[in-house]
Amino acid sequence: MYYKNIHWPLVLKFGIPAMAFSAIGAVYSDFFSPRIYSFVLGLFLVSTSVYFIFYSQNKIFSGQWLPYFGGALSGLLTGLLGSGGAIRSLALTVFSFINGAGFAGHSNF
């Protein structure tokens, strides 16, 4: 890996909340059925995709708090579902944090 290409401030803002919330998500993962989690995740991803297909010019996702929120949401769903790649990809690409290059890959490193 090319360490000089890593955007370290983003790793800290996105990665630390992701690691903390993945532990929280793992603790709460036994409270509900995995079927419910999968349905909610699918509904969220489909509705977000439809929104961005029809309203791709709107930039509603901006602000200094967004890397923290994206990391926390990614970590929470990683802990709950056991896989958070879809949310992590959504947060890193659709929210325009970074173009995919230079981030450490997984937030739970």
Side-chain angles (χ1 to χ4, degrees):
M1 176 172 260
Y2 301 103
Y3 292 102
K4 59 184 168 187
N5 293 331
I6 296 174
H7 190 268
W8 288 107
L10 179 62
V11 170
L12 295 175
K13 290 178 184 175
F14 189 87
I16 291 174
M19 288 187 282
F21 275 83
S22 73
I24 293 169
V27 169
Y28 288 108
S29 66
D30 291 333
F31 288 128
F32 297 104
S33 165
R35 191 173 187 187
I36 293 171
Y37 291 134
S38 297
F39 178 76
V40 171
L41 176 65
L43 186 65
F44 173 74
L45 291 175
V46 167
S47 62
T48 305
S49 300
V50 168
Y51 174 80
F52 283 113
I53 286 172
F54 293 111
Y55 302 103
S56 63
Q57 300 301 322
N58 292 352
K59 296 290 182 185
I60 62 169
F61 298 109
S62 62
Q64 296 294 329
W65 56 271
L66 201 54
Y68 302 105
F69 177 73
L73 183 63
S74 171
L76 183 67
L77 289 176
T78 299
L80 288 172
L81 298 171
S83 175
I87 299 298
R88 183 174 29 253
S89 297
L90 177 71
L92 290 174
T93 57
V94 174
F95 293 163
S96 300
F97 290 152
I98 198 164
N99 63 2
F103 190 70
H106 295 294
S107 60
N108 298 331
F109 49 91

